[in-house]
Amino acid sequence: MMHHFPVLLETATDLLLGNGGKLYVDCTVGAGGHTRRILEKNPQAYVIGIDRDPQALKLAEENLREFEGRFSLYHANFVHLDEVLLQEGVEQVDGFLFDLGMSMMQLKSARGFSFQRDEFLDMRMDPSDPITAYHVVNRYSQRDLERILREYGEEPYASRIARAIVLRRKEKPIETTGELVQIVLSVVPYRRGRIHPATRVFQAIRIEVNGELRNLKEALPKTLKFLRKGGRLVVISFHSLEDRIVKNFFKEHSHEIKPLTKKPITPSREEIEKNPPSRSAKLRAGEKV
């Protein structure tokens, strides 16, 4: 779900650049790792980078300084990629890249993404978005809490956790990640060595706060309007819900885009050893026909 440096870097950029071209869109530019590799591999390339996290964009600008004039960065949600491209005056691109993982920078940003740190319940990737994790935890009905925990976290104890949250917030608002973790641990059995019970809960709330799955579903079809014939789409996802959306997208649009990956590509053993959080990554790619 998170990574310090770009996962499947060579595979993703080789697939993206594999059919020639000059203009690429990195829809999740982050600190600029994939964009840097695209610009290194293809000296003619120009990259339009989009990210909803202003902190990440600052880092990308610094990290890409030597490629000045060959990239432009936009503070936007990738669901608005069509608006960004219209602003750039672009009608056709040679490739789109989505890397849906969270970065270590975000986990350490004091925005409440990690259950291992005690921070205010925020979880917004874009600090200007209106809804925080605090809002979800303290204002959502028990039924809605249970629904998001079950749908987005695939959490078997969803109803038990939702009930415990609602009972606790009657006493006082739940303000921090630490408080939320304690509530989860009070109702879910935990054996050391197993996945921490708060993992799925934090994933579900983060997905809800940032509209992650809805945005992905909306953004993928928009890429088809701009991809030239032979242009490529590469998506790296980090959990089964995202991967299912990508897989279904390729299936539903098989008349427009042919898959280049029969099965998703996963990181090598060496990459996982170097970067353990990359183990859940799955890459799917397609080419416009």
Side-chain angles (χ1 to χ4, degrees), residues 136-150 155-170 174 180 183-184 186-188 201 205:
V136 172
V137 168
N138 288 288
R139 310 240 174 98
Y140 275 33
S141 68
Q142 185 173 323
R143 179 188 286 178
D144 281 340
L145 283 169
E146 185 179 334
R147 174 185 57 78
I148 67 165
L149 292 175
R150 186 162 280 134
E155 172 53 68
Y157 295 101
S159 62
R160 196 185 282 191
I161 295 166
R163 192 182 314 124
I165 287 171
V166 170
L167 281 171
R168 180 68 62 87
R169 75 190 190 193
K170 279 180 182 164
I174 301 158
L180 182 57
I183 293 164
V184 174
S186 72
V187 293
V188 178
V201 174
I205 294 169

Side-chain angles (χ1 to χ4, degrees), residues 2 4 54 57 87 94 139 142 166 168 202 212 216 235:
M2 53 234 163
H4 329 246
L57 287 170
Q87 219 172 309
D94 299 299
R139 310 240 174 98
Q142 185 173 323
V166 170
R168 180 68 62 87
F202 272 61
E212 291 172 39
L216 183 60
V235 188

Side-chain angles (χ1 to χ4, degrees), residues 3 16 23 48 54 59 64 70 76 95 109 112 119 127 146 155 173 217 223-224 258 261 265 281:
H3 48 92
L16 188 72
L23 183 57
I48 297 166
L59 264 181
L64 298 169
R70 295 183 57 204
S109 64
E119 295 165 348
E146 185 179 334
E155 172 53 68
K217 270 184 194 160
T223 63
L224 294 176
K258 67 166 190 198
T261 46
I265 296 170

Side-chain angles (χ1 to χ4, degrees), residues 18-278:
N19 212 5
K22 290 179 181 177
L23 183 57
Y24 298 92
V25 184
D26 186 341
C27 296
T28 47
V29 76
H34 282 112
T35 287
R36 162 178 276 280
R37 200 69 189 109
I38 292 163
L39 296 170
E40 286 169 347
K41 281 182 171 176
N42 179 351
Q44 265 77 54
Y46 185 92
V47 178
I48 297 166
I50 300 171
D51 209 287
R52 63 197 296 189
D53 187 335
Q55 261 182 294
L57 287 170
K58 265 188 201 152
L59 264 181
E61 192 135 19
E62 282 168 36
N63 294 339
L64 298 169
R65 193 167 285 149
E66 69 195 85
F67 300 100
E68 204 174 329
R70 295 183 57 204
F71 69 90
S72 50
L73 299 176
Y74 283 85
H75 177 219
N77 186 323
F78 62 55
V79 77
H80 304 304
L81 64 88
D82 47 349
E83 291 166 31
V84 169
L85 293 177
L86 288 171
Q87 219 172 309
E88 279 270 325
V90 166
E91 288 176 11
Q92 274 204 325
V93 305
D94 299 299
F96 285 94
L97 173 67
F98 292 80
D99 170 5
L100 304 170
M102 284 202 68
S103 68
M104 285 313 274
M105 181 205 73
Q106 285 169 322
L107 284 169
K108 291 176 178 174
S109 64
R111 280 184 263 164
F113 287 116
S114 171
F115 57 81
Q116 290 166 332
R117 302 154 74 93
D118 193 20
E119 295 165 348
F120 178 71
L121 280 167
D122 189 327
M123 296 198 202
R124 291 173 297 177
M125 287 176 184
D126 182 345
S128 67
D129 283 348
I131 290 184
T132 61
Y134 175 90
H135 177 99
V136 172
V137 168
N138 288 288
R139 310 240 174 98
Y140 275 33
S141 68
Q142 185 173 323
R143 179 188 286 178
D144 281 340
L145 283 169
E146 185 179 334
R147 174 185 57 78
I148 67 165
L149 292 175
R150 186 162 280 134
E151 275 179 32
Y152 299 157
E154 300 178 292
E155 172 53 68
Y157 295 101
S159 62
R160 196 185 282 191
I161 295 166
R163 192 182 314 124
I165 287 171
V166 170
L167 281 171
R168 180 68 62 87
R169 75 190 190 193
K170 279 180 182 164
E171 298 163 25
K172 72 170 205 54
I174 301 158
E175 293 182 0
T176 69
T177 54
E179 288 172 63
L180 182 57
V181 169
Q182 286 311 311
I183 293 164
V184 174
L185 288 173
S186 72
V187 293
V188 178
Y190 176 38
R191 289 213 296 280
R192 292 217 172 275
R194 293 282 178 91
I195 180 170
H196 193 286
T199 307
R200 295 192 190 96
V201 174
F202 272 61
Q203 174 182 299
I205 294 169
R206 196 199 76 226
I207 287 172
E208 174 67 19
V209 167
N210 296 289
E212 291 172 39
L213 302 182
R214 183 178 66 247
N215 290 336
L216 183 60
K217 270 184 194 160
E218 274 182 52
L220 290 174
K222 290 183 177 184
T223 63
L224 294 176
K225 294 179 205 164
F226 294 93
L227 264 185
R228 69 159 169 89
K229 194 176 172 182
R232 296 194 163 178
L233 169 65
V234 176
V235 188
I236 304 166
S237 63
F238 285 79
H239 55 74
S240 57
L241 300 167
E242 289 171 338
D243 182 56
R244 200 175 303 148
I245 290 169
V246 181
K247 183 183 173 184
N248 290 340
F249 168 76
F250 281 125
K251 203 182 274 180
E252 283 164 29
H253 296 272
S254 56
H255 56 292
E256 282 175 90
I257 192 160
K258 67 166 190 198
L260 297 167
T261 46
K262 273 204 168 125
K263 283 183 174 169
I265 296 170
T266 53
S268 64
R269 188 177 295 165
E270 297 81 57
E271 181 166 3
I272 292 168
E273 275 169 19
K274 269 192 231 157
N275 183 18
S278 72

